[in-house]
Amino acid sequence: MFDFDMLGLAPALNTALERAGFSEPTPIQNQAIPLALDGHDIMGLAQTGTGKTLAFGLPLIDHLLAQPGKPLPKTSKALILAPTRELVNQIAESLRGLTEGTKLKVTTVVGGQSIGKQISILSRGTDILVATPGRLMDLMDRGAVDLGQVRHLVLDEADQMLDMGFIHALRKIAPKLGTPRQTMLFSATMPKQMEELSRAYLTDPRRVEVSPPGKAADKITQSVHFLEKPEKPRKLREILSQDPNALTLVFARTKHGAEKLMKGLRADGFNAASIHGNKSQGQRDRAIKGFRDGDITVLVATDVAARGIDIPGVAYVINYDLPEVPDNYVHRIGRTARAGREGEAISFCASDEADLLAQIQRLMKIEVPVASGTSPLIDGRAPGGSKPGRSRRGKGGGAGKPSAQAPGGRGRARRPRRKKAA
């Protein structure tokens, strides 16, 4: 382990790290940064909340600071692709903090905002372009951006880009980039397609991995309530009322369901907002800012937000609906226990979601401890499903039994003390 000031980074970066209160790197930063500074392509695997942005951002900025000259009109020296607007904005915010007081300019392009304004900004050129693939393709089709000067490519949350069908956009974008270039790919999970992606876009990459794919952060306490759908609203309100001032992120499966749930919570006096694909970018930005600032305490979201929210103060994640893609469970609950803090993930499982829970447990190689209700899983399997891995927490989380998260079997998950938002 080393301190940041031992890396030989540009003085401006050391100043920015000191200003932000960073002194020691996280495990993924510890492994990735020295290799990236040496110019190697990187394939990084780490759960959410472990500091991946600095892992690629610091060496990227260090390289750019050493390069003379301003970017030419319509060009960029580095390109960072991320799957959602929220994640693009989060990355850009972090990088701007690191480049403050330097010559480097960070620009974002995402859907839902004025493409005319983005064309105007890009006409002046930028050092680092952070973009969603879809909007970048729109700008390329209009001749508004020239990627031939890009010598650094970062694919962040690459597995979700594959899930969202962006592989076709990547195949069109990659040939337009300059060569030779350094490519860094980061992801929290490792589907088979990721290996194919790495072979296509990375050259002799160095693989850095700080946790097995599909593993949640160690400081997340997980539990599940078995109940039918009509019982979910009552249980949600009961849990939220236990700690009404805590920042709680609630995941629903559909846009309509998220909006309906948010309106119902508001009607019952909860300070709630929602973000999903039917919201404008401005509405989503305001909701996230309100949540970050603590003005909103309950944020109801679809999976569009699973990887785009980096708010250390999120105390609880509630899976009102289980995700249909098991990997998304890992990303959802990774919104809590960030920056070394503790957090809790609570899931609701109706009888028709039992197979989804079985898939999640198989991916994570645990049995999620039961907080209340009777599990429909038989010997760890949903009817007609396959057996998940054995719990690392021992037998206390067995189906239908009181767990460590439900003392006395009263059907209520123990909630940690609220931590203030950073």
Side-chain angles (χ1 to χ4, degrees):
M1 180 64 72
F2 51 80
D3 292 336
F4 283 119
D5 58 11
M6 296 172 61
L7 286 173
L9 293 167
L13 278 176
N14 287 323
T15 300
L17 289 167
E18 183 177 356
R19 183 171 59 241
F22 294 116
S23 58
E24 294 184 355
T26 65
I28 188 66
Q29 295 163 4
N30 183 49
Q31 293 187 44
I33 290 174
L35 294 170
L37 285 172
D38 286 341
H40 294 289
D41 283 7
I42 302 293
M43 186 172 186
L45 292 172
Q47 66 235 20
T48 56
T50 55
K52 287 181 287 184
T53 302
L54 283 188
F56 63 76
L58 284 171
L60 171 62
I61 293 170
D62 189 81
H63 286 310
L64 294 179
L65 287 173
Q67 296 178 14
K70 296 181 178 180
L72 298 172
K74 296 187 179 182
T75 70
S76 178
K77 296 181 179 180
L79 173 63
I80 301 172
L81 293 176
T84 66
R85 306 170 191 174
E86 284 73 24
L87 187 53
V88 164
N89 291 335
Q90 171 193 314
I91 293 169
E93 181 180 355
S94 297
L95 297 184
R96 287 180 179 130
L98 295 173
T99 58
E100 184 178 346
T102 74
K103 63 178 183 178
L104 300 183
K105 181 166 59 174
V106 180
T107 300
T108 62
V109 292
V110 298
Q113 295 182 350
S114 168
I115 194 168
K117 183 176 180 180
Q118 292 174 353
I119 290 172
S120 175
I121 293 173
L122 286 173
S123 68
R124 299 187 287 273
T126 188
D127 296 284
I128 303 173
L129 178 60
V130 193
T132 52
R135 175 49 62 94
L136 181 60
M137 286 294 299
D138 291 341
L139 290 163
M140 291 170 62
D141 291 342
R142 295 174 182 235
V145 60
D146 176 3
L147 301 178
Q149 301 300 312
V150 170
R151 292 296 186 272
H152 301 273
L153 171 65
V154 177
L155 304 177
D156 194 20
E157 303 293 8
D159 52 346
Q160 191 181 24
M161 280 196 274
L162 296 180
D163 291 341
M164 297 174 67
F166 286 136
I167 185 64
H168 303 294
L170 291 175
R171 287 172 179 157
K172 292 182 179 179
I173 292 169
K176 306 294 185 182
L177 304 177
T179 56
R181 64 175 178 271
Q182 180 185 44
T183 301
M184 292 183 277
L185 183 154
F186 285 82
S187 177
T189 61
M190 186 66 184
K192 290 181 180 179
Q193 246 189 320
M194 193 65 64
E195 290 283 2
E196 300 172 9
L197 191 71
S198 67
R199 287 195 296 270
Y201 298 110
L202 279 68
T203 301
D204 189 24
R206 299 297 190 267
R207 178 165 171 155
V208 294
E209 183 174 352
V210 298
S211 65
K215 184 179 182 299
D218 294 332
K219 294 187 177 182
I220 300 176
T221 301
Q222 301 176 61
S223 63
V224 59
H225 294 268
F226 290 104
L227 72 177
E228 294 308 316
K229 289 183 179 179
E231 301 173 288
K232 287 185 177 184
R234 177 192 59 79
K235 176 58 71 174
L236 176 62
R237 285 155 176 77
E238 174 187 316
I239 292 173
L240 292 176
S241 297
Q242 292 173 19
D243 195 355
N245 294 321
L247 296 185
T248 303
L249 183 56
V250 181
F251 281 102
R253 185 173 298 127
T254 67
K255 294 178 284 188
H256 174 74
E259 191 68 10
K260 180 179 179 181
L261 181 58
M262 180 274 292
K263 290 180 178 179
L265 290 172
R266 276 189 177 179
D268 288 341
F270 292 95
N271 192 4
S274 65
I275 58 172
H276 50 71
N278 284 347
K279 295 284 188 178
S280 70
Q281 187 61 45
Q283 290 173 317
R284 288 156 67 165
D285 290 345
R286 287 191 293 273
I288 290 176
K289 183 180 185 302
F291 191 55
R292 184 188 301 275
D293 294 344
D295 298 327
I296 293 166
T297 55
V298 182
L299 186 63
V300 185
T302 56
D303 281 315
V304 70
R307 308 194 195 193
I309 297 180
D310 183 12
I311 299 175
V314 175
Y316 312 110
V317 169
I318 298 177
N319 291 300
Y320 188 83
D321 299 313
L322 289 178
E324 294 181 342
V325 178
D327 286 340
N328 284 350
Y329 176 86
V330 180
H331 300 305
R332 286 181 178 189
I333 70 174
R335 298 308 100 197
T336 187
R338 299 180 76 82
R341 303 183 181 196
E342 296 180 353
E344 184 170 348
I346 302 168
S347 297
F348 296 168
C349 181
S351 56
D352 63 354
E353 296 175 296
D355 188 57
L356 298 178
L357 179 62
Q359 293 177 45
I360 290 167
Q361 293 185 142
R362 184 164 62 250
L363 171 70
M364 300 185 69
K365 295 181 174 61
I366 66 167
E367 291 177 9
V368 179
V370 178
S372 71
T374 301
S375 171
L377 302 180
I378 302 172
D379 190 26
R381 292 172 291 181
S386 55
K387 187 175 181 179
R390 186 178 301 276
S391 172
R392 294 178 182 172
R393 298 176 181 268
K395 297 180 180 180
K401 298 178 183 179
S403 71
Q405 278 66 43
R410 293 183 293 177
R412 176 177 296 181
R414 185 172 70 240
R415 296 165 67 87
R417 294 180 66 184
R418 179 195 176 213
K419 296 182 181 297
K420 295 182 180 180

